[in-house]
Amino acid sequence: MPLKSHRYSLGARLFLTAAICCALVLMLAGIGLTTFYRRSAERGFDERLSVYIKELVADLAAPPEAERQAIGDLGEPRFDLPLSGWYWQIIRLDGEKPTIRSSRSLVGGQLPKLLDQQLTPNARGLRETYVSGPDDRALRVLEREIDVGEDGRFTVAVGAPADEIDGDIRDFRFALTLTFVLLGLALVASTLIQVRFGLRPLVRLGTAVGAVRTGEAPRIAGQYPPDLAPLAGELNQLIDANREILERARTQVGNLAHALKTPLSVMLNEAEAGGRARCPTW
């Protein structure tokens, strides 16, 4: 009964398995690297905003009232452009009516107070999150609460457009995707070469077995890798064993034929003699 062949060849199964594994590894690596880069980009962006917060805190804690009136001179023109996305805001918390100072870019608007959102400060005492700005743009906002003693308690917040972070991440994701696509194609090509090269001895072994079956060769010849050499040796032993069995069967058939030849001759002679005895002599 002929054996049924599988739908996929061994080479195709090896190639598909390797290609799928490569795709999964590259996909997971891409997700991990993108997540890591996002966090790194956020830390770098927060570092820029925290510098402005430190300058505002330093101006706010300045003893002379005259220096305190100059709060907000951060050397960044975008804090003066209306709705530029770059904003700062200072709110006094312990007054009867909250006193709010803000950058000109807010044009009378106000940033959400992160203190009311129950956000946990980080190790540097900064609250950080994404909020919607006055013009409905996504903002990355950092806020810090400070106590300047008799002058009161304040929250100092600085916000900037989050699309700068998103733009950096998009550029990184595009470069990473392009790199991983090229790397994936190279891995798939190398996998195909490895499969074809690795299965070549197995193809030669199959051809040698076919030559033995058709009588073109008496035995399996040639050199094979260490993992296929035992199989080729076992096949040769099987061929030799079958040949010995065939030779033994031929010998037994010849002996049987020789053993049957003499009795048959005697029986034929007796039959001829008996036939002549019955016939009358004229």
Side-chain angles (χ1 to χ4, degrees):
M1 183 177 181
L3 296 177
K4 294 182 179 179
S5 62
H6 199 273
R7 181 179 178 183
Y8 299 104
S9 65
L10 183 60
R13 294 173 67 182
L14 291 174
F15 175 75
L16 290 176
T17 302
I20 292 174
C21 290
C22 287
L24 289 177
V25 169
L26 292 177
M27 186 182 301
L28 293 176
I31 294 174
L33 289 175
T34 302
T35 302
F36 176 79
Y37 184 80
R38 171 177 285 276
R39 294 178 180 176
S40 178
E42 286 180 349
R43 284 196 299 268
F45 198 72
D46 292 347
E47 200 63 38
R48 293 170 57 190
L49 298 184
S50 65
V51 171
Y52 295 128
I53 287 183
K54 291 178 182 178
E55 293 184 14
L56 290 172
V57 170
D59 292 341
L60 191 63
E65 185 67 23
E67 294 184 11
R68 196 174 300 162
Q69 295 297 329
I71 291 177
D73 187 11
L74 302 178
E76 175 56 67
R78 286 178 290 187
F79 285 116
D80 296 327
L81 297 176
L83 301 178
S84 64
W86 289 78
Y87 311 113
W88 61 265
Q89 176 179 275
I90 299 175
I91 301 178
R92 182 166 183 174
L93 302 175
D94 54 356
E96 296 182 359
K97 184 178 180 181
T99 302
I100 301 176
R101 294 184 183 181
S102 61
S103 60
R104 294 180 183 178
S105 54
L106 273 172
V107 291
Q110 186 174 348
L111 294 175
K113 190 163 61 172
L114 305 186
L115 181 64
D116 298 337
Q117 299 183 14
Q118 304 299 323
L119 295 175
T120 303
N122 59 20
R124 296 182 297 174
L126 296 171
R127 295 181 176 88
E128 52 194 27
T129 189
Y130 292 95
V131 301
S132 180
D135 54 349
D136 295 330
R137 294 174 64 184
L139 301 177
R140 178 71 173 174
V141 176
L142 268 65
E143 182 183 86
R144 180 178 179 182
E145 182 180 354
I146 64 169
D147 188 350
V148 292
E150 297 180 356
D151 292 330
R153 294 172 49 248
F154 299 86
T155 60
V156 180
V158 175
D163 52 9
E164 293 194 12
I165 300 177
D166 295 334
D168 290 341
I169 295 174
R170 280 195 303 270
D171 294 341
F172 176 79
R173 186 182 291 118
F174 175 77
L176 186 66
T177 301
L178 181 61
T179 302
F180 275 12
V181 166
L182 296 177
L183 180 60
L185 293 176
L187 289 175
V188 167
S190 63
T191 301
L192 180 60
I193 295 174
Q194 289 177 0
V195 169
R196 292 179 65 88
F197 178 76
L199 294 181
R200 186 174 298 174
L202 192 60
V203 175
R204 288 196 296 110
L205 181 60
T207 304
V209 172
V212 173
R213 179 180 59 83
T214 57
E216 298 177 5
R219 303 178 82 251
I220 296 175
Q223 295 182 349
Y224 296 93
D227 47 355
L228 282 182
L231 178 59
E234 291 292 334
L235 289 175
N236 279 329
Q237 292 181 10
L238 179 61
I239 293 171
D240 294 339
N242 288 336
R243 184 177 291 113
E244 291 177 1
I245 293 174
L246 182 60
E247 292 295 333
R248 190 180 305 116
R250 288 177 178 174
T251 303
Q252 291 177 354
V253 170
N255 293 335
L256 180 61
H258 181 72
L260 292 175
K261 183 178 180 179
T262 300
L264 287 175
S265 299
V266 172
M267 292 173 64
L268 289 174
N269 293 332
E270 290 181 353
E272 291 178 357
R276 286 194 300 269
R278 293 190 186 92
C279 293
T281 304
W282 297 98

